[in-house]
Amino acid sequence: LTQDELKKIAAYKAVEYVESGMVLGLGTGSTAKHAVARIGELLRQGKLKNIVGIPTSKITHEQALAAGIPLSDLDSHPVLDLAIDGADEVDPFLNLVKGRGGSLLREKMVEGACKKFVVIVDESKLVKHLGGSGLAMPVEIVPFCWKFTAQRLQSLFADAGCVAKLRTFAESDKPFVTDNGNFIVDLYFKKDIGDLKAASDAILQLAGVVEHGMFLDMATTVIIAGELGVTCRVR
Ligand code: DER
């Protein structure tokens, strides 16, 4: 099975949790994309009714619109029944790294407002420790004096051998700009960052930081699609 087929299997499994009448958080990324498409398909087939979708990014807003999912926002629906979204990393306690697609702020706002947050991943996303894979830990920051903020983030995790890099578009040095008009600094760790809650608090205390990509104690269910089948982990 290809990685995309595994993502699709996890996504379709998650959509089985969707009931007519629900207000749904619609995730962002190549895995969540399959869930959004599936919800649209079930609506068209009449197997789901009266669904309201709350998108976690402009790109998901466009996809959901095209899929015929009625859309709204958190102002109109401050409490959601269920969100379905992917993740970049999942640790054994169901803590997540998200945001390598750049949508972490709206995802965290929407998914933090849900009664249930179902995460869908292929098995390649499972890690022992968050940030341990040497891949990016995204932090959304304001553009004002971004070097100052990036430097402070890097110093926070000096013991973990942290390197902070402004996210730019591949070819150019143009900074990536989020849906909210902010920049993203990606943190790369050489060693384990240890206490995640302490790391989260320290990051959020820096004026200039908007939000980070660690989603701690938020996922209620993680659906993992692997070569040997699909497994569900429930908090
Ligand atoms: O950027 C994001 O937050 C995405 O949801 C990411 O966590 C998962 O993206 P993927 O399903 O394309 O791997």
Side-chain angles (χ1 to χ4, degrees):
L1 289 167
T2 65
Q3 189 181 31
D4 192 54
E5 283 164 338
L6 290 175
K7 292 181 176 189
K8 191 170 182 178
I9 290 166
Y12 278 44
K13 188 80 190 151
V15 173
E16 290 175 18
Y17 287 91
V18 177
E19 293 162 15
S20 292
M22 277 189 170
V23 180
L24 298 175
L26 303 176
T28 299
S30 61
T31 313
K33 182 184 67 182
H34 289 301
V36 172
R38 178 66 172 157
I39 291 161
E41 184 185 15
L42 294 175
L43 279 170
R44 275 193 303 282
Q45 294 170 352
K47 291 179 183 163
L48 271 180
K49 296 182 173 24
N50 309 321
I51 292 290
V52 174
I54 314 290
T56 55
S57 65
K58 290 179 180 174
I59 193 163
T60 294
H61 187 280
E62 293 312 311
Q63 185 202 355
L65 219 52
I69 302 171
L71 299 179
S72 186
D73 62 25
L74 289 173
D75 291 343
S76 310
H77 297 276
V79 178
L80 286 69
D81 297 297
L82 170 69
I84 300 174
D85 200 355
D88 298 297
E89 294 183 2
V90 181
D91 80 3
F93 306 97
L94 309 194
N95 294 311
L96 317 173
V97 168
K98 282 178 62 49
R100 288 187 194 140
S103 320
L104 67 103
L105 176 62
R106 297 191 183 191
E107 289 173 338
K108 199 177 267 191
M109 287 178 71
V110 171
E111 285 143 21
C114 293
K115 295 171 194 162
K116 264 173 84 85
F117 174 23
V118 178
V119 174
I120 48 179
V121 293
D122 65 274
E123 59 192 353
S124 72
K125 307 297 186 63
L126 301 181
V127 296
K128 280 263 165 296
H129 305 288
L130 296 192
S133 63
L135 299 175
M137 168 74 72
V139 181
E140 182 156 342
I141 68 170
V142 297
F144 172 73
C145 289
W146 66 266
K147 278 193 192 125
F148 168 69
T149 303
Q151 184 52 49
R152 292 215 287 174
L153 282 165
Q154 187 164 291
S155 310
L156 261 188
F157 299 105
D159 297 351
C162 177
V163 173
K165 285 192 188 126
L166 179 73
R167 188 179 296 186
T168 56
F169 286 105
E171 304 71 42
S172 69
D173 281 347
K174 238 160 71 58
F176 171 87
V177 179
T178 69
D179 285 349
N180 319 299
N182 296 317
F183 286 173
I184 289 200
V185 165
D186 286 312
L187 303 181
Y188 296 87
F189 301 102
K190 293 190 183 62
K191 281 183 268 169
D192 186 10
I193 45 181
D195 182 332
L196 298 177
K197 183 73 177 67
S200 169
D201 293 343
I203 292 171
L204 294 174
Q205 264 156 19
L206 295 179
V209 166
V210 177
E211 190 48 79
H212 61 68
M214 289 187 284
F215 285 46
L216 309 180
D217 289 332
M218 288 182 67
T220 53
T221 305
V222 177
I223 296 175
I224 304 146
E227 286 303 326
L228 301 177
V230 186
T231 52
C232 270
R233 288 198 199 154
V234 182
R235 179 182 294 288

